[in-house]
Amino acid sequence: MANGAYPAGLSEDSAAEASRTRGELQLVVPYSAGGPLDRSARKLVQETNSIGRLQVLNVPGEGGATGAAMVARTGSRDPLLLMGTVATQAILPWLNPQLPYDPLRDFQPLMLVARMPHVLVMRSELALQWRIYSPDDLLRFMAKHRQPLRYASAGNGSIGHIAGKLFQTLTRVPLLHLPFAGARPALSALLEGSADLMFDNVASALPHVQAGRLKAIGVTSRTPLPLLPGVPSLSDSVRDLHLATWFGLFATAGISDALAKRWVGAFAQTLQKPQVQQYFDAMGVIREDLRLQDFARLVQTEHSFYGQLIKANHILPG
């Protein structure tokens, strides 16, 4: 199960229980294998050796809610770790009132791992065909043709979904949302031509931009990014469009303070290793040190921010 898969017929809960029986601590990644979040989690597991055996388990589904719910319901006697995101902890609760977990009550925030800016991308051949090289070019094209362009995302409630909905709300241009079970299948759809646009994280899109397969139209950060020279901020053309994703480590609620501090200390030590820092830098991931109460305050702030954003812009789940 080193790759996060489990045998056919064995449920996610059974797989987790089997691993705990073997003395392994599960780190649940609530998305498909292969994306930047998954790669980051596997690098942390690979480089952390002071808290026993660690295992990554990919549990995709419902925009990340399936994996998050699995961690929430295990109980503090057999806690799991979650690589939680802005989507699972701050966005999905506002889009799905029936979410099977409470993002503020059911988890113990441990530490922020990193932030990831996003970039609006499209296939380079399509950008060349439609003569779209900037956000203004895209807006002029869409205003002229008024045909909905298809944008792929990592699922309902993902930051890519919210960015697309906000872009559509602020510009009043037609877009059709195509949700997938993670960033990797969404990106594949874009590259294969079954989607036209994607608000992808820089870590995922960068290799394809550098290889010339994708054209970077604009970034969702307030300022341009050094890794994407010449690519403007979308907020220069679309006022108030500035978003960024983040991901961090959470444990099942109810664990002891001593255990939380032990885990935080181990992972913080890992994040200080030069090889880990170089790995994240190469991905375009921005490292940031927020732990325990400081991280919990960030989660609460982001939860409130996205609630206000979603309500103010009447953003719906689909």
Side-chain angles (χ1 to χ4, degrees), residues 153-173:
S153 84
N156 287 327
S158 67
I159 194 73
H161 170 211
I162 296 301
K165 285 292 187 182
L166 188 57
F167 182 86
Q168 185 175 10
T169 299
L170 295 174
T171 62
R172 300 187 183 279
V173 297

Side-chain angles (χ1 to χ4, degrees), residues 31 36-37 84-88 91 112-119 157-160 163 199-203 220-221 242-248 284-286 288 298 302 306:
Y31 302 102
L37 189 73
T85 69
V86 62
T88 60
I91 296 176
L112 179 67
V113 174
R115 295 182 190 268
M116 286 191 295
H118 275 61
V119 56
S158 67
I159 194 73
F199 290 85
D200 197 12
N201 63 72
V202 171
T220 62
S221 54
H242 42 78
L243 298 170
T245 192
W246 51 261
F247 57 93
V285 171
I286 302 170
E288 192 169 342
L298 170 70
E302 289 284 275
Y306 281 98

